[in-house]
């Protein structure tokens, strides 16, 4: 699909009914919870996120990655987001929704999202040297703030799959850098690396080993240096064994998966962590539910008959996250 149709018209997120993350994070900080940031690429995921967040009275950050834009077309995604706002109004009391660019890697991409109605963007220059990261993040902040759009920066690199149980130390955010980064860039929130990573294979565990705890010591040190500043955790799927078992039971093959234990995310949500990113868990839920239908009803060929059950299962999972993990349920 790509983005062959350029977003020709500039539109503010305020016209579309989104909010930026400023007030969301203030409330999350004050009340010890984290706002869920769920990724979507298609209609069923979006419906499930909105239904679950309206159902549990939780604010929500709808995340769109570069990959999602390439897959679904950026114009269509933005209109889907707008459609979700309208749907929510019809469902009854709406909840605050931010439309956020996940892992933006260039100024141009961030600008394009801001111009086309995103209320928040992430500029992820975390793999660049500190000075370059600062310069690029600052440039995005200057453009975004003129339009009241909030910006997430990142310091530290999330580990991929490491050979040992724990991520390499060099990937963690260095608390000594955070004050200067926040001051020099003017960013509104900061993604940090304390042991989470993207995907369904976060740790390579030897038999009998359990998932190593997140580096709460680093988080504490960061909080000390930038008190009251909103922190973001990426790579925070729990990779629930129940869904992995379901995937494997119905013909899948996922071995050696591992996620972040929910108690640790709950603990993080009570701190300055105001935004927790979850994508992989949604992918696992959909895959498990679709596989079940395919195995049990091999003659089924109506997408509504397998995407519908997947959507139902997604709603349950997102409501559970809001209520039991992030603590965002009942906050609006
Ligand atoms: O952090 C990455 C998100 O899970 C988005 O993944 O780039 O495959 O859409 P994606
Ligand atoms: P997971 O892969 O753990 O769901 O992380 C998602 C994420 O960080 C999106 O930015
Ligand atoms: Zn991420």
């Amino acid at each position: 699909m790509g983005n062959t149709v350029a977003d020709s018209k500039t539109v503010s997120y305020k016209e579309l009914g989104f909010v930026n993350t400023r007030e969301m994070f203030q409330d999350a900080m004050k009340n010890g919870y984290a706002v869920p940031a769920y990724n979507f690429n298609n209609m069923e995921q979006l419906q499930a996120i909105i239904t679950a967040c309206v159902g549990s009275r939780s604010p929500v950050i709808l995340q769109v990655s570069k990959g999602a834009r390439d897959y679904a077309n950026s114009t269509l995604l933005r209109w889907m987001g707008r459609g979700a706002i309208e749907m929510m109004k019809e469902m009854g009391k709406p909840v605050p929704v931010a439309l956020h660019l996940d892992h933006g890697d260039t100024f141009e991409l961030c600008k394009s999202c801001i111009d086309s109605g995103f209320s928040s963007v992430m500029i992820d220059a975390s793999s660049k040297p500190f000075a370059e990261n600062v310069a690029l993040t600052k440039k995005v902040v200057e453009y975004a703030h003129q339009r009241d759009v909030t910006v997430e920066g990142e310091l530290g690199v999330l580990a991929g799959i490491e050979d040992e149980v724990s991520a390499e130390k060099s990937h963690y955010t260095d608390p000594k850098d955070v004050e200067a980064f926040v001051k020099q860039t003017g960013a509104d929130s900061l993604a940090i690396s304390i042991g989470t990573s993207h995907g369904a294979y976060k740790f390579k565990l030897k038999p009998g080993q359990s998932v190593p705890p997140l580096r709460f010591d680093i988080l504490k040190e960061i909080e000390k240096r930038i008190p009251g500043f909103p922190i973001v955790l990426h790579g925070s799927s729990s990779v629930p064994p129940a869904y992995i078992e379901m995937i494997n039971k119905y013909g899948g093959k996922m071995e050696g998966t591992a996620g972040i234990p929910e108690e640790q995310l709950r603990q993080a949500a009570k701190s300055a962590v105001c935004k927790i990113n979850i994508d992989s868990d949604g992918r696992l839920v959909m895959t498990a539910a679709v596989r079940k239908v395919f195995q049990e009803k091999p003659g089924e060929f109506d997408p509504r008959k397998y995407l519908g059950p997947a959507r139902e299962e997604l709603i349950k999972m997102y409501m559970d996250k809001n209520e039991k993990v992030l603590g965002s349920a009942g906050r609006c």
Side-chain angles (χ1 to χ4, degrees):
M1 294 283 290
N3 295 312
T4 45
V5 184
D7 285 354
S8 50
K9 195 173 140 273
T10 295
V11 58
S12 163
Y13 68 87
K14 292 178 186 175
E15 287 170 44
L16 307 184
F18 297 111
V19 297
N20 68 25
T21 57
R22 202 164 288 127
E23 275 180 33
M24 282 184 175
F25 290 165
Q26 269 170 18
D27 194 67
M29 183 76 76
K30 199 170 94 197
N31 294 299
Y33 69 93
V35 180
Y38 298 134
N39 291 66
F40 78 101
N41 293 266
N42 63 37
M43 183 187 76
E44 285 78 10
Q45 289 172 323
L46 180 59
Q47 288 172 318
I49 295 167
I50 294 295
T51 305
C53 291
V54 169
S56 58
R57 305 307 309 153
S58 168
V60 64
I61 298 170
L62 286 177
Q63 297 208 127
V64 172
S65 70
K66 199 166 167 255
R69 280 167 59 97
D70 290 341
Y71 173 76
N73 184 284
S74 61
T75 306
L76 182 58
L77 279 178
R78 147 163 82 89
W79 281 92
M80 282 170 71
R82 185 178 194 165
I85 297 282
E86 296 305 315
M87 178 183 92
M88 198 171 57
K89 285 187 199 152
E90 281 168 18
M91 287 167 74
K93 281 205 305 186
V95 298
V97 178
L99 184 64
H100 175 80
L101 168 67
D102 191 26
H103 293 282
D105 58 352
T106 61
F107 171 78
E108 290 70 28
L109 176 58
C110 292
K111 178 181 180 301
S112 156
C113 286
I114 293 167
D115 291 347
S116 65
F118 280 60
S119 59
S120 175
V121 293
M122 173 189 196
I123 175 69
D124 180 358
S126 59
S127 58
K128 297 186 191 305
F130 183 81
E132 271 179 57
N133 187 355
V134 166
L136 182 51
T137 306
K138 186 168 184 263
K139 187 174 173 188
V140 172
V141 168
E142 278 167 4
Y143 189 80
H145 282 185
Q146 283 168 35
R147 291 149 184 88
D148 205 18
V149 167
T150 39
V151 179
E152 175 184 326
E154 177 161 350
L155 263 184
V157 178
L158 263 65
I161 305 166
E162 301 294 332
D163 288 328
E164 295 305 319
V165 171
S166 56
E168 276 174 19
K169 280 194 174 61
S170 57
H171 289 258
Y172 295 133
T173 305
D174 186 343
K176 287 199 294 297
D177 292 337
V178 297
E179 235 177 311
F181 184 83
V182 164
K183 218 179 254 167
Q184 289 172 29
T185 61
D188 302 280
S189 60
L190 178 67
I192 60 166
S193 173
I194 56 166
T196 63
S197 59
H198 293 104
Y201 301 88
K202 298 190 191 300
F203 307 97
K204 257 193 183 170
L205 301 171
K206 295 189 182 110
Q209 273 184 324
S210 48
V211 166
L214 295 179
R215 292 292 302 270
F216 284 102
D217 55 324
I218 299 180
L219 174 59
K220 226 183 229 165
E221 190 55 38
I222 290 171
E223 286 185 84
K224 227 192 274 168
R225 289 168 188 257
I226 44 172
F229 193 81
I231 301 296
V232 178
L233 280 192
H234 281 249
S236 296
S237 278
S238 305
V239 191
Y243 288 115
I244 299 296
E245 279 161 28
M246 197 168 155
I247 287 171
N248 291 338
K249 179 177 170 191
Y250 293 111
K253 196 169 189 299
M254 293 190 73
E255 286 159 3
T257 56
I260 310 297
E262 293 191 336
E263 321 78 71
Q264 293 193 34
L265 294 170
R266 185 73 203 102
Q267 189 183 335
K270 287 180 181 155
S271 72
V273 170
C274 292
K275 171 175 180 271
I276 290 189
N277 287 14
I278 295 170
D279 185 5
S280 296
D281 282 354
R283 298 178 183 196
L284 293 171
V285 168
M286 280 204 98
T287 303
V290 169
R291 277 192 177 282
K292 182 170 189 286
V293 176
F294 282 171
Q295 182 131 329
E296 288 179 346
K297 299 177 189 164
E300 192 53 75
F301 72 102
D302 179 346
R304 293 171 297 187
K305 298 284 167 49
Y306 48 87
L307 294 177
R311 185 174 60 194
E312 287 312 302
E313 199 63 41
L314 269 180
I315 293 172
K316 274 195 253 161
M317 189 271 286
Y318 289 132
M319 288 193 78
D320 238 52
K321 293 274 183 208
N322 294 349
E323 283 161 14
K324 300 183 189 140
V325 185
L326 310 189
S328 63
R331 302 290 181 178
C332 55

